Amino acid sequence: MTALRVTPAGRGGGHRLWVSLPDGRDVAWYDRDSGRISLLSEAYEDGVRAALAPYVTGEVTVGPPPVPTASDLARLTLHPDDDLAPNRPGEALHAAVDGDSRRRSGRLRGLPRPDPRRAELAAQQRVGDALDGLDAAGWRVLHCVPLPGAALIDHVAIGPAGVLAVRTVAARGRRVRIADPAVATGRAEPEPLLRWARRDAERAAHALATAVRPVLAVTDPGRLDVPAGLGDVRVLRDGEIPSLARLGGVLKPADVEALYATARDRRTWLRL
């Protein structure tokens, strides 16, 4: 029997496991949410069952793939260059920070000054990882969503509680004071982060034709002062992000998948 390989779809293991041949051709997938193994070739059923045995929990059904939904068809026809799903948290910062580090190491002697963008990148990774952890609760997350010009939305999360446009704040143990629309981190000059977060949500709502709530995710604050009356902007510490898994009542699973299929297409955002 030819050895089969099992790989997850998406970050954090995803909700689907693909089974493929050594040459990369897929022969089946296991959807954890529905408990179904979809076979692309019945000839590999025994091998697929054996390969997935360590991952399967409870009863499963095995059969041919279900009829594709509209969101499935959109994903299958999406060009890889336009697919935002593979973006890492802080994707735009990775190349910039690494490239500058190599140039500085080639020009300077001794220890270079710390690059402040590394703290921002670390914060985006921390928030992004927490958001990706919501996958099992039915959330789909995109990172570093591009807008026309040089603008970006740090994270877009789509789940049972609705659609969130998440802006990251790197606190690094410092006090964060919020006085709408300004946010002051430590001794740095206040910035209108709440205004920017609302603008992110407005643009996302226009792109996706649905309600989007702005969220400010603060990583590792020494102290967080949030005034009353910020009903439109949700302020979370990064450690509070997992609590979103308990919220729901806004979007059904099919709605989540349809919106995610639209949101992962780069062209959706560049038409704004």
Side-chain angles (χ1 to χ4, degrees):
M1 174 72 66
T2 302
L4 299 178
R5 181 175 55 191
V6 178
T7 56
R11 300 174 184 82
H15 68 294
R16 181 175 288 183
L17 295 173
W18 288 89
V19 184
S20 58
L21 296 169
D23 63 7
R25 286 181 295 154
D26 295 321
V27 294
W29 71 82
Y30 168 49
D31 192 301
R32 289 166 164 165
D33 293 342
S34 63
R36 179 182 176 85
I37 297 175
S38 297
L39 290 171
L40 298 175
S41 173
E42 294 183 0
Y44 293 99
E45 180 174 349
D46 291 342
V48 167
R49 286 180 177 272
L52 287 173
Y55 308 96
V56 169
T57 57
E59 295 294 325
V60 297
T61 57
V62 182
V67 176
T69 63
S71 59
D72 291 331
L73 292 174
R75 175 182 60 82
L76 292 171
T77 58
L78 183 60
H79 192 281
D81 290 344
D82 291 322
D83 190 357
L84 300 177
N87 279 7
R88 299 167 293 179
E91 183 73 42
L93 287 171
H94 278 278
V97 170
D98 293 343
D100 284 355
S101 295
R102 287 193 293 269
R103 284 193 293 272
R104 284 198 303 269
S105 64
R107 294 195 309 261
L108 301 177
R109 295 180 180 178
L111 294 176
R113 290 183 178 181
D115 189 336
R117 291 176 301 180
R118 289 194 177 277
E120 182 182 350
L121 176 57
Q124 290 202 29
Q125 290 172 326
R126 189 164 175 172
V127 170
D129 289 345
L131 289 169
D132 286 338
L134 298 172
D135 185 272
W139 287 78
R140 305 291 175 254
V141 181
L142 296 167
H143 307 288
C144 203
V145 175
L147 299 173
L152 297 165
I153 301 177
D154 292 345
H155 319 275
V156 173
I158 305 169
V163 183
L164 309 177
V166 184
R167 178 173 283 266
T168 301
V169 179
R172 293 181 295 168
R174 296 173 294 177
R175 180 183 181 184
V176 176
R177 291 162 293 175
I178 298 177
D180 196 3
V183 177
T185 303
R187 297 182 179 180
E189 285 294 319
E191 294 182 303
L193 296 186
L194 294 185
R195 182 186 306 148
W196 297 345
R198 292 180 178 114
R199 182 185 60 195
D200 290 345
E202 289 171 1
R203 301 186 78 174
H206 181 68
L208 300 176
T210 192
V212 179
R213 184 171 184 181
V215 173
L216 210 63
V218 185
T219 63
D220 192 29
R223 175 177 169 181
L224 180 58
D225 298 333
V226 182
L230 289 181
D232 64 326
V233 181
R234 186 176 189 129
V235 180
L236 295 172
R237 294 175 171 84
D238 58 296
E240 295 172 331
I241 290 175
S243 66
L244 295 173
R246 299 194 295 270
L247 304 180
V250 177
L251 294 176
K252 297 178 181 179
D255 298 327
V256 171
E257 295 300 334
L259 281 169
Y260 178 63
T262 301
R264 68 189 292 178
D265 188 341
R266 182 187 305 273
R267 296 167 297 181
T268 297
W269 306 93
L270 299 183
R271 286 193 292 260
L272 290 175

